[in-house]
Amino acid sequence: GIHFPPLPEVGRLCKDRAIAECITADFPVESAVPIIQSAVLDAARQLLSRRVKFNGSDSLQAAAAYEGYGTLLAEVCKWREAVDAFGNALAIRERRLGRSHSLCGKTLLELGKAMSAGGDARQAKQKLEMALRIAEGRETGVVGMLGAAPGNVNVGRTLDALGVVYLSLGMLDDAKGALSRAIAILEPKIGVDHEDAARAQLHLAQVLQAQGRSKDAASRLSVAAAVLNARLGSDNPDTQQAVTLAREARRASVDRTEVLASPDAADSRASLLRRSTQSSQQSRKTPTCGCGPVSCSVM
């Protein structure tokens, strides 16, 4: 499932050799994945080293290489290393372009997402809120500079990431507001059947579950699961998470109906809300990278 950007020749040769060795030995090609990932990361490191050597450590080319390296690290859940790489890219771009430049906003978004996935929600909140101000043009006062505008796709994606962070911090009203705005921007711009719009629906459904609104969450989760399955396949971690949460939300919705009809409705409502919140908190411990619990890899 890893995405391969353009690589130096060594990366392509290592990737091809790993696949060929698995085929020759009659192993599943999936057995080559760790070798392929290592080869790709080695190639990205070489590319970064070349950019620094030939263009300078403070060049925009070096910043682009740091960001590309960070993206690869994030795809294999090496969050600490990804944060360092995005941080280096951001520092260069801020010095060369100014803190309010749209490329700084783009890097802040990726940095905030990596911090969030790595468990540093408070730092992620700070970075993502700054990314949102840049994406909306509020840092420069020049709406429209390099795509900065209150309703562009970058704003929608930043709001989605920010909503996830608010949810992890227990800021449910803020999370609901950010994710509702994200969906209102993303669906008309990229379509309801795009995976990014579906992820925003998935995240909003998690907020609704945490608020005890299982019935509303279930309908959104069913839509998100169908889109993610069609776009990414049934083995994708996002698809599996949406399917699991939809099943839990439907069950919780049935439980709620039974609870509200019981003689001890007041006590039961409080119990049901606690269970819903615990379920949502537990689901957030599984990252969308597919590595399992958030204690995986580097946390």
Side-chain angles (χ1 to χ4, degrees), residues 5-7 37 66 83 102 137 139 142 157 169 191 209 222 238 296:
L7 298 170
Q37 290 177 345
Y66 273 119
V83 166
S102 62
E139 282 299 299
V142 184
R157 291 188 170 120
L169 292 171
Q209 275 190 302
S222 296
D238 288 336
C296 73

Side-chain angles (χ1 to χ4, degrees), residues 183 187 192 197-198 200-206 208-209 212-228 242-254:
I183 292 167
E187 288 190 345
V192 295
Q201 289 281 8
L202 167 61
H203 298 149
L204 179 56
Q206 289 178 280
L208 295 173
Q209 275 190 302
R213 297 172 56 187
S214 300
K215 185 176 181 180
D216 293 337
S219 61
R220 290 182 182 274
L221 286 165
S222 296
V223 172
V227 172
L228 291 169
V243 169
T244 300
L245 290 176
R247 188 182 305 118
E248 291 176 356
R250 285 193 296 269
R251 185 165 57 244
S253 180
V254 171

Side-chain angles (χ1 to χ4, degrees), residues 27-289:
F27 291 143
V29 173
E30 290 79 5
S31 301
V33 167
I35 303 172
I36 295 170
Q37 290 177 345
S38 177
V40 171
L41 291 174
D42 285 344
R45 277 191 290 268
Q46 289 186 36
L47 178 60
L48 174 58
S49 178
R50 291 176 188 176
R51 290 279 176 87
V52 169
K53 179 178 179 180
F54 291 107
N55 299 111
S57 60
D58 202 44
S59 66
L60 292 176
Q61 292 88 345
Y66 273 119
E67 187 171 69
Y69 185 42
T71 300
L72 285 174
L73 289 164
E75 289 192 12
V76 294
C77 301
K78 294 183 178 292
W79 303 118
R80 262 189 218 118
E81 293 95 325
V83 166
D84 288 343
F86 289 131
N88 286 329
L90 179 63
I92 294 170
R93 284 175 169 167
E94 286 183 340
R95 285 194 296 270
R96 298 298 301 274
L97 302 171
R99 296 187 64 182
S100 60
H101 195 279
S102 62
L103 284 178
C104 294
K106 176 176 177 287
T107 310
L108 277 164
L109 171 58
E110 298 306 322
L111 176 58
K113 287 162 62 177
M115 286 177 167
S116 174
D120 192 352
R122 296 198 177 278
Q123 281 294 315
K125 175 179 176 289
Q126 178 186 355
K127 301 301 183 187
L128 291 169
E129 287 176 341
M130 180 64 178
L132 181 61
R133 289 195 296 272
I134 294 173
E136 291 181 326
R138 287 186 281 134
E139 282 299 299
T140 61
V142 184
V143 173
M145 188 182 91
L146 290 177
N152 71 13
V153 173
N154 285 337
V155 172
R157 291 188 170 120
T158 305
L159 284 165
D160 179 39
L162 195 51
V164 172
V165 170
Y166 287 151
L167 175 60
S168 70
L169 292 171
M171 302 168 60
L172 299 186
D173 289 339
D174 292 301
K176 183 173 179 287
L179 291 164
S180 297
R181 281 188 63 201
I183 292 167
I185 292 170
L186 292 174
E187 288 190 345
K189 297 286 186 181
I190 59 179
V192 295
D193 58 345
H194 193 283
E195 58 268 28
D196 287 347
R199 287 190 186 101
Q201 289 281 8
L202 167 61
H203 298 149
L204 179 56
Q206 289 178 280
V207 175
L208 295 173
Q209 275 190 302
Q211 292 178 327
R213 297 172 56 187
S214 300
K215 185 176 181 180
D216 293 337
S219 61
R220 290 182 182 274
L221 286 165
S222 296
V223 172
V227 172
L228 291 169
N229 183 60
R231 298 282 294 194
L232 305 177
S234 60
D235 293 335
N236 183 271
D238 288 336
T239 305
Q240 293 175 349
Q241 184 185 32
V243 169
T244 300
L245 290 176
R247 188 182 305 118
E248 291 176 356
R250 285 193 296 269
R251 185 165 57 244
S253 180
V254 171
D255 290 348
R256 173 176 288 275
T257 301
E258 294 174 352
V259 163
L260 294 178
S262 72
D264 301 320
D267 291 340
S268 299
R269 284 191 193 97
S271 174
L272 186 60
L273 181 57
R274 284 195 299 272
R275 286 164 49 198
S276 178
T277 303
Q278 289 167 356
S279 174
S280 177
Q281 290 171 343
Q282 183 64 34
S283 71
R284 291 198 300 275
K285 294 180 181 178
T286 302
T288 57
C289 60

